[in-house]
Amino acid sequence: MSREEALRKRARELLESKQVVMVVGHRAASTKGKAQPAFIAKPEDAESLIFDETCGQNLAGHLLKVKHLGKIAVVTKGCDSRSILVLLKEKQLDRAQLHILGVGCEGVKEDGKLSDSCITCEYPNPIVCDEMLGEPAPGDRLQTLNPKPQTGELTSDERWRELSEDVSRCIRCYACRQVCPNCYCPVCFVDASQPALVGKTTELSDNMVFHIMRALHMAGRCVECGSCARACPMGIDLMKFNRKAAQIVKERFNVVAGVKEDDAPALTVFDPNDKQEFIR
Amino acid sequence: MSTAEPHPQEAGSQEPEPKIVAFLCNWCSYAGADLAGISRIQYPASIRVIRVPCSGRVDPFHILKALQSGADGVLVSGCHPGDCHYLTGNYVARRRFAVLNDLLEFAGIDPGRVSFSWVSAAEGERFAEVVREVTEKVKALGPNRKLVKEPAS
Ligand code: SF4
Ligand code: SF4
């Protein structure tokens, strides 16, 4: 039985036996070669579930929209499981109300090309799951393809110029926020008006503040799934910021988002011995 | 923040002082600044003090907003680790500032634009020293041109 067949079979069983009220997974979208999230509530609809290299969406965020219905089963690859762990730690989800259907991920492709974030992915398999469907993906296969991007030794001005080119194209559509599995604040800082924390124009200054603060708010929470970069209509390399934030949190606090079940989100706790070489 | 008027002490001097916004915590650094004042310790008239209840109250947004609004530099100062009036406010703030500090460097904001310090209520001289040092650093960098917003015309 192929992995996809196993997935459909289990989804049907779980729904028929009423162990869950819904299965969240992927289905083919109307655009050829693309997938979209599927919310399956009837056993007979389980047939539309797919799992392949087009299934790039991180499904964890969708759970927040359906969790009130009851126990949910969710198709979970490595990055989805990391997001779920982040959401569990932030008390947005209840583990007892989840049934995690694990799948190994061979990497998501965009227009036939392996997605950037999947080239550097170190966790293709779910960190937590209730059952694994099919074989786990070879964990180090992706890493071997993995030349971590080099930032090199640039001066401040060169770094500013380089990032400015990227960031100045941002049209502030917030697709990156919409698609992010770990963005769920009822009032996002970009929408707050009392006080208005960041200007709403697309001037470089406002855009840069938006991107710095987006990265800061995702530090220790971003699981580097790449959904935001894939969603951006302007082709902005959001992973540059995300990777940097992840690197800072790893180096300073030795925390990697969503890979352990029992640690706290990095910026909600402290260690009295945290390095403070930047403080006078 | 966008006032064009020179600070009175600055008016006669050759080189205008940079504008530095200083977020000082009520319990330590603000009292430290006060002590520097009553002890008549001299330091550059470059800082504009904003008193906050705790360094933990300083949101990175406040820091960036100051730079956007035309400050040449920002100083954030609180109680020494272990001395926070609210016990752990400065520890939590320290993590946030660390990430901000590194992200600013990554984005190409010159190190020295935004400074952090711990100054206790008993450290008037140290407060003056921090302000001297920060002012020198910001002066050396010149006016803030990267994050400042064009004034609406
Ligand atoms: S910020 Fe981007 S890469 Fe990080 S979790 Fe959100 S969507 Fe995924
Ligand atoms: S999706 Fe792209 S263009 Fe839209 S707000 Fe995010 S970075 Fe800017």
Side-chain angles (χ1 to χ4, degrees):
Chain A
M1 193 168 29
S2 78
R3 179 173 58 191
E4 233 167 46
E5 279 161 4
L7 167 61
R8 290 173 191 150
K9 180 162 165 283
R10 277 304 283 150
R12 202 176 322 109
E13 283 168 10
L14 287 167
L15 287 168
E16 269 166 0
S17 61
K18 302 221 181 329
Q19 288 180 63
V20 301
V21 296
M22 181 176 277
V23 179
V24 178
H26 307 268
R27 70 186 326 149
S30 48
T31 316
K32 201 169 169 293
K34 302 263 183 207
Q36 69 186 42
F39 300 86
I40 310 284
K42 292 189 214 125
E44 60 272 24
D45 292 344
E47 287 315 302
S48 61
L49 286 171
I50 60 166
F51 187 77
D52 58 26
E53 64 196 30
T54 63
C55 301
Q57 268 228 28
N58 187 325
L59 296 174
H62 295 298
L63 296 174
L64 302 177
K65 296 170 206 151
V66 293
K67 64 177 179 183
H68 62 281
L69 298 174
K71 185 158 178 166
I72 312 279
V74 54
V75 179
T76 303
K77 52 192 182 314
C79 52
D80 307 56
S81 78
R82 292 178 64 192
S83 290
I84 289 174
L85 275 180
V86 170
L87 293 171
L88 284 171
K89 281 182 232 177
E90 294 175 354
K91 309 233 179 337
Q92 299 301 310
L93 289 175
D94 177 1
R95 183 69 183 86
Q97 290 293 79
L98 290 180
H99 185 87
I100 302 180
L101 299 166
V103 281
C105 175
E106 279 86 38
V108 173
K109 291 195 179 156
E110 271 181 297
D111 308 322
K113 233 179 87 237
L114 198 59
S115 182
D116 234 24
S117 54
C118 302
I119 297 177
T120 49
C121 173
E122 292 176 37
Y123 304 92
N125 292 303
I127 312 262
V128 279
C129 74
D130 294 304
E131 59 185 296
M132 204 56 199
L133 302 170
E135 291 303 307
D140 44 7
R141 187 189 63 86
L142 300 172
Q143 270 184 64
T144 51
L145 300 171
N146 168 8
K148 286 248 163 167
Q150 299 292 319
T151 34
E153 288 298 307
L154 298 179
T155 65
S156 286
D157 289 348
E158 284 165 343
R159 279 200 300 275
W160 172 263
R161 234 172 291 132
E162 213 187 275
L163 275 189
S164 295
E165 263 166 43
D166 237 2
V167 157
S168 58
R169 278 182 289 130
C170 176
I171 53 173
R172 303 288 284 280
C173 64
Y174 307 131
C176 49
R177 169 198 68 182
Q178 258 358 79
V179 79
C180 176
N182 294 346
C183 274
Y184 55 78
C185 293
V187 180
C188 175
F189 70 74
V190 300
D191 299 319
S193 57
Q194 297 228 327
L197 294 164
V198 53
K200 293 177 176 25
T201 76
T202 50
E203 264 179 57
L204 178 59
S205 171
D206 281 341
N207 275 0
M208 195 56 101
V209 170
F210 165 59
H211 282 274
I212 291 172
M213 290 306 294
R214 193 193 66 84
L216 200 146
H217 281 196
M218 293 314 295
R221 310 178 56 244
C222 168
V223 301
E224 298 173 73
C225 65
S227 300
C228 51
R230 285 192 292 271
C232 176
M234 304 307 287
I236 295 170
D237 186 3
L238 290 153
M239 290 306 291
K240 250 192 225 165
F241 281 93
N242 296 340
R243 281 202 196 94
K244 182 66 201 180
Q247 180 201 347
I248 295 169
V249 168
K250 172 104 198 276
E251 280 171 10
R252 285 197 175 267
F253 318 127
N254 199 21
V255 174
V256 179
V259 301
K260 280 200 210 145
E261 290 188 61
D262 55 0
D263 61 351
L267 291 190
T268 63
V269 289
F270 63 86
D271 178 338
N273 301 317
D274 282 333
K275 271 205 313 188
Q276 55 167 5
E277 82 300 337
F278 64 101
I279 303 180
R280 166 79 161 72
Chain B
M1 293 257 315
S2 57
T3 60
E5 278 170 47
H7 193 282
Q9 287 176 14
E10 205 176 89
S13 68
Q14 302 287 31
E15 204 181 346
E17 293 284 359
K19 277 183 273 181
I20 298 170
V21 172
F23 295 98
L24 308 182
C25 89
N26 180 47
W27 303 99
C28 295
S29 297
Y30 190 85
D34 221 14
L35 181 62
I38 28 184
S39 318
R40 301 189 169 267
I41 301 169
Q42 295 295 313
Y43 61 83
S46 55
I47 61 166
R48 278 71 169 156
V49 174
I50 297 178
R51 175 156 62 157
V52 290
C54 175
S55 49
R57 175 63 185 92
V58 180
D59 190 311
F61 271 119
H62 299 153
I63 298 170
L64 296 179
K65 192 115 193 173
L67 293 174
Q68 285 194 293
S69 313
D72 298 310
V74 175
L75 167 66
V76 181
S77 191
C79 308
H80 287 274
D83 288 352
C84 176
H85 186 75
Y86 309 101
L87 307 180
T88 58
N90 55 359
Y91 280 129
V92 179
R94 183 167 66 182
R95 283 211 161 180
R96 209 156 56 215
F97 296 153
V99 178
L100 177 70
N101 180 74
D102 294 4
L103 279 175
L104 288 180
E105 193 193 329
F106 166 73
I109 309 294
D110 306 278
R113 270 290 168 225
V114 178
S115 305
F116 302 91
S117 68
W118 306 135
V119 173
S120 82
E123 295 175 324
E125 180 49 49
R126 179 178 155 84
F127 179 80
E129 219 179 282
V130 167
V131 176
R132 280 181 216 123
E133 211 183 279
V134 168
T135 307
E136 276 320 303
K137 266 200 269 176
V138 173
K139 249 190 202 160
L141 291 173
N144 159 28
R145 298 209 191 287
K146 281 179 182 159
L147 270 187
V148 71
K149 269 184 127 176
E150 300 302 328
S153 48

